[in-house]
Structure formats: structure tokens, C-alpha cells
Amino acid sequence: MARTELKLLGAWLSPYVMRARIALNIKSVDYEFLQETLGSKSQLLLESNPVHKKIPVLIHKGKPICESLIIVEYIDETWSSGPSILPSDPYDRAIAKFWGTYVDEKWFPNLRILTAEGEAKDHVIRTIVEGLDLLEDAFVKISKGKTFFGEDQIGYLDIAFGCYLGWLRALEKISEVKLLDEAKTPGLAKWADTFSSHPAVKDVKPEVDKLVEYGKSPEAKYRAAKAASS
């Protein structure tokens, strides 16, 4: 397949764009990465995703696919050039999708407001940590004692949750709060290191220091939040 037949619209700091890039790497698929300018939307993006007008958008043979986890599923179903991303067992697949929805709808929204102050910040931290405790328990059960949520290889839930690790580490530095604690969540802590160093991940994950630098100014935090929510 020619590189021009597959395009990905995205931005370097978006965890959702990272999902698509990891999935494409796992399948060893070549593609053209078109970076959107933060704070503006290209005509191609507006035409490709007229409903939400957000990244990522995967354009395959001229046809756009939107929403990050839908893109991951599409990549998994379209290319057989690498290992399967979603579990083959219907129950395991349902559980992976359940936790993928949880991290998007319940866990990450709290991480994004970690810069709150006073009692509000304390409440946010407790909520984030409680979520990590739940995910630690889920990891123990789903991984079945192996390396990833996908057991021996990176799977759907690894991608869904792992895309947030850069922002998790960056916000730990900005807020000076340790969230992913090796003593409290040893499984997740080890998983995070292994996931981040995986060949499909390490070249597409944003540098934590760049996220910290970008996230410190009020204007940057606003723009980053918008990009991250795409």
C-alpha cells in the first residue's frame, strides 16, 4: 500500500492521536502523519470530521475514520500484518472496552483538572488514586500474571490507558504529587515502564519535559487541554 493511501491527522501532544500511531506501529503499517497546528483547524480536518472537528482522523483511501478507539478497532480489523489488538474472546473484548471507556470518561477527566488548588485539588488527587487502585486490580485480573493488559503483547486496553502516561508523568511534575506509586500499584508501575519502552510506543510518545513546559502557562494549558480532548 502506498504511503499516500493512509494519512493520520493529529498533534504531537494528543494522547488520542498516540493511540492510532501505536496501533499502526503494531501492525507495521506505513502512513503519512499530518500535524495540525494547535489552536487552529485545517480545512482537511474540517472536511474529514465535520461532526466533531477534532483529531485524530485516519484517512484510508480517501475515506475518513474518526474517534481514537474506533480508529484502533478499524486498524485491527483492516490489517493482519501484526498481532491482534483486541482480544479474540467476546467476554475479554467486552471487558477491555469497558475499561477503555472508564479511563476516557471517568479517570482522565480528573487528571486534566489536577492543577486545582486547596480542597478541590485534594479531592481530585483522591479520585485519581482511587481510579489507579481500580486499574491495578483490573491489570492483575486481565493480564493473568503476564506483561500487558493484552497478556504477552500490547492490546486494546494497553493502548487506551497507556496513551495517558505522558500526561500523568507531566502533571505529577507540575503538581508535585506522586500518583503512580510503585508501593501502592506495583503492577501498573512496572507495566507503565515496559509499555513506554516498547518499540511500538517509544518513538511516538511525547517527551514528558516538553509536556511540562507546554502545560505550565495558562494559555498553553488551555490549548493543550483542547488538543488532548480531541
Side-chain angles (χ1 to χ4, degrees):
M1 183 185 68
R3 183 186 180 95
T4 54
E5 291 185 357
L6 189 65
K7 297 179 172 65
L8 178 65
L9 307 184
W12 68 271
L13 51 60
S14 170
Y16 305 107
V17 173
M18 184 178 167
R19 286 174 173 172
R21 300 189 77 188
I22 294 170
L24 289 166
N25 285 346
I26 287 173
K27 296 292 184 175
S28 300
V29 177
D30 197 18
Y31 65 98
E32 184 179 2
F33 184 42
L34 302 177
Q35 290 231 40
E36 290 287 310
T37 302
L38 296 175
S40 66
K41 300 178 190 292
S42 71
Q43 188 60 35
L44 181 58
L45 173 60
L46 296 174
E47 292 172 356
S48 302
N49 190 358
V51 176
H52 297 299
K53 303 178 177 64
K54 293 180 178 180
I55 53 174
V57 178
L58 186 72
I59 304 175
H60 185 207
K61 297 181 178 179
K63 298 178 180 179
I65 303 95
C66 306
E67 298 297 311
S68 63
L69 291 179
I70 292 175
I71 291 172
V72 170
E73 285 194 60
Y74 179 85
I75 291 168
D76 192 36
E77 293 172 355
T78 302
W79 286 279
S80 59
S81 48
S84 296
I85 295 172
L86 278 96
S88 58
D89 179 80
Y91 177 78
D92 291 342
R93 190 161 59 247
I95 294 301
K97 288 185 176 183
F98 169 84
W99 284 107
T101 300
Y102 169 79
V103 295
D104 275 358
E105 297 183 358
K106 299 294 184 181
W107 185 78
F108 185 59
N110 287 291
L111 190 66
R112 289 173 59 190
I113 58 174
L114 184 58
T115 51
E117 299 296 337
E119 292 183 5
K121 181 175 181 178
D122 293 339
H123 173 73
V124 170
I125 291 171
R126 284 196 301 272
T127 304
I128 293 170
V129 171
E130 286 170 2
L132 289 172
D133 288 341
L134 289 174
L135 288 163
E136 171 77 9
D137 185 59
F139 176 75
V140 171
K141 293 176 180 176
I142 296 171
S143 69
K144 300 173 185 175
K146 297 185 179 179
T147 306
F148 300 106
F149 283 99
E151 298 185 28
D152 290 320
Q153 61 199 23
I154 287 178
Y156 180 88
L157 184 52
D158 296 284
I159 295 173
F161 181 37
C163 72
Y164 294 128
L165 288 174
W167 278 107
L168 174 64
R169 297 303 192 191
L171 289 169
E172 282 182 327
K173 286 190 173 185
I174 293 170
S175 63
E176 299 181 342
V177 175
K178 182 71 171 177
L179 297 170
L180 193 56
D181 191 324
E182 293 83 353
K184 295 179 180 178
T185 52
L188 283 186
K190 184 177 181 181
W191 162 82
D193 290 339
T194 306
F195 175 85
S196 298
S197 62
H198 190 279
V201 177
K202 62 181 182 180
D203 292 334
V204 300
K205 66 178 182 180
E207 295 179 18
V208 172
D209 288 342
K210 286 182 66 176
L211 293 176
V212 170
E213 181 181 355
Y214 195 88
K216 280 185 175 178
S217 74
E219 179 185 2
K221 282 191 287 186
Y222 170 76
R223 289 168 59 191
K226 289 199 70 175
S229 66
S230 300

